[in-house]
Amino acid sequence: MPARTGLPPLDGLLFFPVTAFGPDGTFDPGAYRAHLDARLADRPAAVFAACGTGEFPALAPAEYERCVAVAVEAARGRVPVVAGTGYGTALALDFARAAERAGADALLVLPPYGPGGGQDGLVRHITALAEGTPLDLILYQRDRTVYEPETVARLAGLPGVVGFKDGLGDLDRMLRTVSAVRAAGHRDFQFFNGMPTAEMTQLAYRAIGVPLYSSAVFCFAPDLALAFHRALAEDDRPTLTTLVDVFLRPYVELRNRRPGYAVSLVKAATRAAGHPVGSVRAPLTEPEPAHLRELSELLDRARKALA
């Protein structure tokens, strides 16, 4: 196995691009590259390619490798590229090797698919990945895949396991996880808020030692995403309150109206913002036109409120 280069400490907004598909439904590298270039100009801290927002479960292996390679080409070493991987251990290793070939810097380990094996099964899965790839690993907790704090502390001792992303939203459990990892001596371990529309919970996550978060809003409204991130860093409470009350809360309520809107609404909004990224793939469905109009009105109100 090649020597590990290591994912550098991240500091800034994290970009989770949507994956572009053409009119015939196939991967569109040109449109994807244009989407990446536009957002990279806004200087995110990292690109997380072919992850949840990027429809990882909908990508065939060859498409996945091409998608990650385009992200690496667009980043040009300016920021790290983290690729998603998932399913069972054998497939997760196949995707990890494809990400290696594409030049990725690290992997976001999405929850394994299928019946779980408890904490011992998670340890086996992550250990096999850590031993099978030189890429650093960020573990992702969400839905039915829940890591006990002691399990995270144990896995943080493995070479290459460098971070933990929470999409569960249990702050008590997350604080215990941060504490357990810290108590085990893993001071450089990185923690991420991976909740949908993470801006809504980031004040609370930051308070318990989770400084990093993913921003789907950055895909289609980078001005608002960056304004929130800047206000957070400066503890600008009036701006944070305005963004929550005028945009983020009503956007979350809109997002919650249909299953899958955490991805399909983001992709449609990105398309409406001028990026021809195409439709989502089945089993996701496109948002209702009325909901897109409602989102457009929310964006207008938020920008007027900030101005």
Side-chain angles (χ1 to χ4, degrees):
M1 179 187 299
R4 295 184 185 277
T5 55
L7 181 71
L10 301 178
D11 182 17
L13 201 59
L14 306 178
F15 174 31
F16 284 67
V18 299
T19 300
F21 301 126
D24 62 353
T26 61
F27 174 58
D28 185 339
Y32 186 56
R33 176 64 184 263
H35 174 47
L36 289 162
D37 286 342
R39 293 288 72 81
L40 283 164
D42 293 314
R43 303 177 67 180
V47 175
F48 283 69
C51 294
T53 307
E55 298 181 74
F56 168 77
L59 297 175
E63 291 178 307
Y64 165 88
E65 185 169 344
R66 185 81 190 281
C67 180
V68 176
V70 172
V72 170
E73 292 164 7
R76 301 198 311 272
R78 293 172 293 174
V79 296
V81 174
V82 181
T85 190
Y87 305 115
T89 305
L91 272 176
L93 281 168
D94 281 348
F95 280 102
R97 290 164 187 142
E100 289 174 40
R101 292 191 298 269
D105 298 286
L107 295 166
L108 177 64
V109 184
L110 300 164
Y113 178 78
Q119 299 302 295
D120 289 343
L122 287 172
V123 169
R124 289 186 65 197
H125 180 63
I126 300 303
T127 300
L129 286 174
E131 292 175 349
T133 175
L135 299 180
D136 283 347
L137 308 178
I138 299 168
L139 316 183
Y140 192 2
Q141 166 176 273
R142 63 176 295 167
D143 303 325
R144 294 183 302 168
T145 298
V146 179
Y147 292 78
E148 292 298 332
E150 297 75 16
T151 302
V152 181
R154 175 181 173 185
L155 291 171
L158 293 177
V161 178
V162 301
F164 184 78
K165 182 180 180 183
D166 179 58
L168 194 65
D170 184 335
L171 288 175
D172 171 83
R173 175 182 289 275
M174 193 59 184
L175 177 55
R176 287 187 287 114
T177 300
V178 171
S179 175
V181 171
R182 184 171 59 227
H186 307 300
R187 298 285 173 175
D188 296 328
F189 202 73
Q190 302 184 71
F191 292 99
F192 303 76
N193 173 4
M195 294 295 292
T197 318
E199 285 89 348
M200 279 294 286
T201 52
Q202 186 52 28
L203 273 168
Y205 271 85
R206 187 176 64 161
I208 63 169
V210 183
L212 298 164
Y213 66 95
S214 54
S215 178
V217 173
F218 185 70
C219 286
F220 62 87
D223 55 335
L224 300 183
L226 289 167
F228 183 91
H229 189 268
R230 185 165 51 249
L232 194 65
E234 297 172 357
D235 198 26
D236 178 355
R237 294 305 175 107
T239 298
L240 293 172
T241 299
T242 296
L243 283 166
V244 169
D245 292 351
V246 176
F247 175 63
L248 290 167
R249 176 186 53 78
Y251 169 70
V252 168
E253 290 168 353
L254 174 60
R255 188 204 69 206
N256 289 342
R257 290 190 200 170
R258 294 287 186 275
Y261 266 19
V263 175
S264 63
L265 191 62
V266 170
K267 193 166 194 179
T270 303
R271 196 167 58 241
H275 300 275
V277 292
S279 302
V280 290
R281 283 181 172 171
L284 293 174
T285 58
E286 287 296 303
E288 294 184 17
H291 292 165
L292 287 176
R293 289 193 295 272
E294 195 171 333
L295 177 53
S296 178
E297 291 166 2
L298 282 178
L299 291 168
D300 288 343
R301 287 202 294 270
R303 287 170 177 138
K304 287 176 183 175
L306 288 184

